[in-house]
Amino acid sequence: MGRKECGALAIMKIMFLCNIIAMLDLFPTVVSLIMVDEKQSSFQTYIIYVEKPEDSVTLGSEYLSNYYESFVPLTKAGLNEQPRMVHSYRNVVSGFAARLTPDEAKAMEEKDGVLSVRSQRILPLHTTHTPSFLRLHRGFGVWKESNFGKGVIIGVLDSGIWPDHPSFSDEGMPSPPAKWKGKCEFIGTTCNNKIIGARNFQHSVEEVEASLPVDEIGHGTHTASTAAGNFVEDANLLGNANGTAVGMAPYAHLAIYKVCSDIGCGESDILAAFDVAVEDGVDVISVSLGGGYTSFYEDPIALGAFTAMQLGILVICSAGNGGPFRYSISNMAPWILTVGASTIDRSIKAVVRLGNGEELDGECLFQPKSFNSTLIPLVYANGKTASAYCDPGTLKAANVKGKIVLCEIGITSEGKEGEVVRNASGAAMILMNQERDVFSTIAEAHVLPASQVSYAAGLKIKSYINSTSEPMATILFKGTVIGESSAPAVASFSSRGPCAESPGILKPDIIGPGVSILAAWPFPLADKPRSKSTFNMLSGTSMSCPHASGIAALLKSTHPDWSPAAIKSAMMTSADELNLEGKPIFDEKLIPADIFALDAGHVNPSRANDPGLVYDVKTRDYISYLCGLNYTDRQLGIILQRKFTCLKVNNFSDSELNYPSFSVVLSSSSRTFTRQVTNVGVANSTYALEVVAPDGAVVSVRPNNLTFTELNQTAKYSVTFSPLSGGIGRNGSELTFGQGYLKWVSDKHIVRSPIAVVFSA
Ligand SMILES: *[C@@H]1O[C@H](CO)[C@@H](O)[C@H](O)[C@H]1NC(C)=O
Ligand SMILES: *[C@@H]1O[C@H](CO)[C@@H](O)[C@H](O)[C@H]1NC(C)=O
Ligand SMILES: *[C@@H]1O[C@H](CO)[C@@H](O)[C@H](O)[C@H]1NC(C)=O
Ligand SMILES: *[C@@H]1O[C@H](CO)[C@@H](O)[C@H](O)[C@H]1NC(C)=O
Ligand SMILES: *[C@@H]1O[C@H](CO)[C@@H](O)[C@H](O)[C@H]1NC(C)=O
Ligand SMILES: *[C@@H]1O[C@H](CO)[C@@H](O)[C@H](O)[C@H]1NC(C)=O
Ligand SMILES: *[C@@H]1O[C@H](CO)[C@@H](O)[C@H](O)[C@H]1NC(C)=O
Ligand SMILES: *[C@@H]1O[C@H](CO)[C@@H](O)[C@H](O)[C@H]1NC(C)=O
Ligand SMILES: *[C@@H]1O[C@H](CO)[C@@H](O)[C@H](O)[C@H]1NC(C)=O
Ligand SMILES: *[C@@H]1O[C@H](CO)[C@@H](O)[C@H](O)[C@H]1NC(C)=O
């Protein structure tokens, strides 16, 4: 198993050896939805949406199951005689999942009452230090005010959990709230006041019947502990990043819904988990997985999240690891909080020193004390040959024995460079990132003294090699270094907008810590030297999502009456736009990140707790929004679970949704939108307007001040976007856009909305 399979099979089978940055190569092919080769070749799991029978509510779930059964063939499926029915849904959609042959599926489509039949896809799975980086302190602020998230329940849809990990101790925690209705399905272990529920919904992918909710790959343990892990002292990985590990909401409860294995996550299982979670009584749902672009009525996460939203539950999802390319965003429904990934101010430094005295920063988790850092000969197989990538079988001991070897990460790289160099008796390795990752690096545990350097640093090393007949180099291990002032920066892999399904919604919504995040891990990293650690360091939007989920749980605790849209708005309008040194947040190129990478900015929990104003959205607004997407009655029926016909009155353009950010497609004429804010700050308050218009557009706002005299009072304003002399216009295939923002500023609060204008010919 190497880097290559990384993307498809959940990061974790190969643990952190797998380079997330490298996995992005395969994003377009691997992440785009692999059909599982189910052993019983002709049978596949299909998701079938049907019209909701009248009276289904009063007739109960048994009636519903019988109704669903009436659609499926009476015979069993395949040689193993598996049951036809995989899942019966009753909350988030009207329908079921069943094992069918393609012919049976075709026949099903013709049946009365059937809205849609689709074979399921398998979606890929997409911190000691982060709390203090996010300015969460034990003694004061949002942690204290929220009681560390006490009483709030976070549902996690992932690969299960390792319940015995110290991060899931329930010390200091109350019993679950009375509303909790979930179940605990461990065998031999029981749930506690931290993990209050755990179930396995993986029935469609693995043949293993009723496997437990135990995490066998590590991803779910890592994400759950990031959201709500309890305090664990002296957490570290190979001695690095040592400190107290703790989740964002240390006293929030966890409800675990296992939907993924090392193969991926079946859509029908994801739907089943949502179906149960919304009934169990969770407050927030965290989903670190997803599958690229799909219409909302075909996307189980969007469908599950829609019902969750109606019940007051906020769903938070990873944006995907498809960056730095545009339109790579996953989980883009506006009722979801979509989270991109950024760096934190910690690096596990391994500096490369060249023979000419130049020093270049790199990272490595394995930092052997025995390596004495004297200069040794540096070798590199020039050019794009297999040995430049240190592919297996390409290095000869005669050439590399006792030397330090420069290896490049290639498109088909399998993450074995270190092993290859070690096996050929090399003394150390410099691993150079790919071009599109530019200045970014991540820390991995290599099997020999090594430093992973950025592409930019790699170029400098190459040119040094060219400049001398006897190149020399060594590595200086500096351990854990805190205070990187260019943090946070958008990670190269973090997926970017615009959002193809709905260009009027700016996505991702926010960014949060997602690079080299240390969190709980089920097993010791056995193939690594000195590894008894039960913590592991991973990177990905999978890691940034649970940070946001934990913070949302804190807000749910301090503001129990806020709707999902209000919590989302609070997190977005209060986000940071500057890095630690006060400059605009960078991307992997060390230039200010553009609006499709950064959106509202970097999550700031303390400010989110007191946002001043919020943009709220009601279910009926989302329905008008869906009508504006021109969905058919049948498609709307799947989302709304009832017959619905859009009328002119309840139909508006997607940019009109009362969203905390603006995304406007502009051609030759002006467009005007109305927004409504709700006062959740100070009863008597006045807000003044501040606008920075995007290049190529004029923005005018009416009125230019908002005055409130009461809490919960609302105020409306309208914004008109006009192109400047016809706008900038499209330039070849290059997307032409402008970015700016508008802010409502009072003496206590700043409420900021980013603005993206995309010019269309
Ligand atoms: C981690 O930090 C704690 C407390 O500061 C210390 O006692 C412990 O030895 C450290 N562990 C490592 C591996 O550095
Ligand atoms: C450093 O290590 C190398 C290889 O292990 C050894 O040859 C050399 O003598 C060492 N130098 C010092 C100053 O210890
Ligand atoms: C390195 O050598 C070990 C032991 O001989 C072998 O098992 C492993 O496959 C080799 N690794 C590579 C990448 O060649
Ligand atoms: C190094 O020299 C080789 C051969 O002259 C050339 O192809 C390559 O571009 C040079 N690389 C750098 C980084 O200067
Ligand atoms: C919906 O249809 C109307 C009228 O045909 C069109 O103006 C509008 O652009 C369409 N909206 C979308 C999102 O396709
Ligand atoms: C929604 O409004 C647009 C623009 O006014 C119109 O073209 C479209 O036909 C309407 N759709 C429905 C379903 O009424
Ligand atoms: C707000 O101001 C109004 C008028 O100035 C005053 O009557 C009211 O008591 C104030 N409300 C609060 C909560 O201070
Ligand atoms: C506030 O807005 C109103 C309406 O646009 C305007 O009449 C008034 O002058 C504004 N006040 C300030 C202080 O700008
Ligand atoms: C604001 O509205 C919420 C929800 O309607 C309500 O629970 C809360 O008490 C209200 N707050 C005030 C100060 O009126
Ligand atoms: C198109 O846009 C790119 C990037 O903004 C710019 O570098 C290039 O010069 C433009 N080309 C033309 C023909 O304007």
Side-chain angles (χ1 to χ4, degrees), residues 604-745:
N604 181 329
S606 313
R607 291 195 49 213
N609 193 34
D610 183 18
L613 307 175
V614 293
Y615 293 79
D616 207 354
V617 185
K618 301 268 185 286
T619 302
R620 62 164 186 274
D621 304 326
Y622 287 120
I623 295 174
S624 301
Y625 160 87
L626 292 169
C627 289
L629 294 181
N630 295 342
Y631 283 181
T632 64
D633 290 357
R634 183 178 275 241
Q635 292 162 347
L636 276 168
I638 294 172
I639 301 175
L640 304 179
Q641 303 185 62
R642 61 188 162 100
K643 283 210 166 87
F644 191 87
T645 300
C646 293
L647 303 171
K648 237 189 152 89
V649 285
N650 51 22
N651 157 12
F652 57 55
S653 137
D654 52 359
S655 303
E656 183 74 52
L657 188 69
N658 199 39
Y659 216 66
S661 58
F662 291 87
S663 177
V664 182
V665 180
L666 211 53
S667 48
S668 54
S669 53
S670 300
R671 301 185 70 188
T672 299
F673 307 105
T674 305
R675 289 284 194 272
Q676 173 175 293
V677 287
T678 306
N679 182 19
V680 297
V682 179
N684 277 330
S685 48
T686 300
Y687 287 80
L689 177 73
E690 230 181 273
V691 184
V692 169
D695 269 354
V698 177
V699 177
S700 64
V701 180
R702 280 211 179 83
N704 63 6
N705 58 71
L706 303 172
T707 300
F708 299 92
T709 56
E710 283 170 44
L711 285 176
N712 279 355
Q713 194 180 354
T714 60
K716 285 191 173 157
Y717 66 91
S718 73
V719 199
T720 302
F721 298 89
S722 321
L724 256 181
S725 60
I728 301 177
R730 272 189 183 272
N731 148 353
S733 59
E734 187 74 19
L735 175 72
T736 316
F737 68 94
Q739 63 186 59
Y741 61 82
L742 69 79
K743 272 180 188 172
W744 292 105
V745 182

Side-chain angles (χ1 to χ4, degrees), residues 317-349:
C317 295
S318 48
N321 298 340
F325 309 108
R326 290 206 196 288
Y327 294 105
S328 52
I329 192 92
S330 299
N331 298 323
M332 55 194 133
W335 48 89
I336 290 172
L337 178 67
T338 314
V339 191
S342 47
T343 60
I344 57 174
D345 65 339
R346 177 181 66 201
S347 60
I348 316 298
K349 227 167 222 178

Side-chain angles (χ1 to χ4, degrees), residues 370-374 376 427:
S370 58
F371 189 73
N372 67 18
S373 299
T374 40
I376 49 176

Side-chain angles (χ1 to χ4, degrees), residues 456-480:
L459 290 183
K460 289 188 181 158
I461 296 168
K462 283 191 194 175
S463 93
Y464 161 71
I465 293 173
N466 267 11
S467 73
T468 172
S469 54
E470 286 183 8
M472 307 281 280
T474 191
I475 297 168
L476 312 174
F477 291 110
K478 304 272 175 151
T480 307

Side-chain angles (χ1 to χ4, degrees), residues 38-322:
E38 285 183 86
K39 291 214 178 69
Q40 319 202 351
S41 56
S42 58
F43 283 92
Q44 288 181 0
T45 301
Y46 286 81
I47 301 174
I48 298 98
Y49 299 125
V50 299
E51 280 171 12
K52 203 162 207 161
E54 312 240 331
D55 306 330
S56 63
V57 179
T58 45
L59 291 171
S61 62
E62 197 173 328
Y63 173 85
L64 207 53
S65 297
N66 290 341
Y67 172 67
Y68 294 155
E69 290 280 358
S70 73
F71 289 93
V72 302
L74 293 169
T75 55
K76 297 232 174 202
L79 299 173
N80 291 358
E81 303 240 303
Q82 295 207 302
R84 291 291 190 156
M85 197 60 93
V86 181
H87 296 290
S88 289
Y89 307 117
R90 57 212 192 100
N91 292 309
V92 300
V93 290
S94 165
F96 54 92
R99 294 182 180 90
L100 302 173
T101 64
D103 287 344
E104 289 168 345
K106 255 208 159 61
M108 180 88 77
E109 275 174 19
E110 307 303 319
K111 291 194 177 172
D112 245 17
V114 171
L115 293 173
S116 145
V117 179
R118 215 164 47 75
S119 70
Q120 82 161 349
R121 298 162 308 170
I122 304 302
L123 308 184
L125 282 165
H126 276 233
T127 161
T128 54
H129 176 55
T130 45
S132 65
F133 179 62
L134 292 171
R135 281 152 281 156
L136 291 169
H137 300 280
R138 286 205 204 198
F140 57 93
V142 61
W143 258 5
K144 188 144 187 275
E145 285 167 38
S146 68
N147 230 336
F148 303 90
K150 247 180 207 171
V152 179
I153 304 170
I154 304 176
V156 180
L157 271 58
D158 210 300
S159 61
I161 199 152
W162 196 259
D164 299 331
H165 195 281
S167 288
F168 308 121
S169 146
D170 63 358
E171 204 183 314
M173 294 198 50
S175 320
K179 66 169 180 172
W180 174 245
K181 291 203 277 232
K183 291 192 184 137
C184 185
E185 294 179 345
F186 291 124
I187 295 177
T189 306
T190 48
C191 283
N192 59 12
N193 289 334
K194 168 58 75 182
I195 301 175
I196 59 172
R199 292 185 67 183
N200 176 36
F201 289 90
Q202 257 200 300
H203 299 312
S204 70
V205 176
E206 301 245 291
E207 299 226 351
V208 196
E209 275 303 307
S211 92
L212 299 173
V214 173
D215 183 8
E216 275 141 17
I217 58 178
H219 191 274
T221 299
H222 199 277
T223 55
S225 70
T226 300
N230 211 330
F231 296 91
V232 182
E233 311 290 332
D234 297 347
N236 63 72
L237 179 57
L238 307 177
N240 291 303
N242 188 32
T244 299
V246 61
M248 293 293 108
Y251 292 161
H253 305 287
L254 284 166
I256 303 301
Y257 301 88
K258 179 171 172 179
V259 295
C260 307
S261 68
D262 55 356
I263 299 167
C265 323
E267 286 185 309
S268 69
D269 302 334
I270 295 169
L271 262 182
F274 269 111
D275 207 54
V276 169
V278 299
E279 215 178 351
D280 281 351
V282 301
D283 298 300
V284 167
I285 297 179
S286 189
V287 187
S288 287
L289 60 100
Y293 169 67
T294 344
S295 293
F296 301 143
Y297 52 85
E298 292 192 328
D299 174 355
I301 299 175
L303 290 169
F306 192 82
T307 304
M309 174 274 297
Q310 290 176 286
L311 296 168
I313 303 162
L314 177 58
V315 176
I316 296 148
C317 295
S318 48
N321 298 340

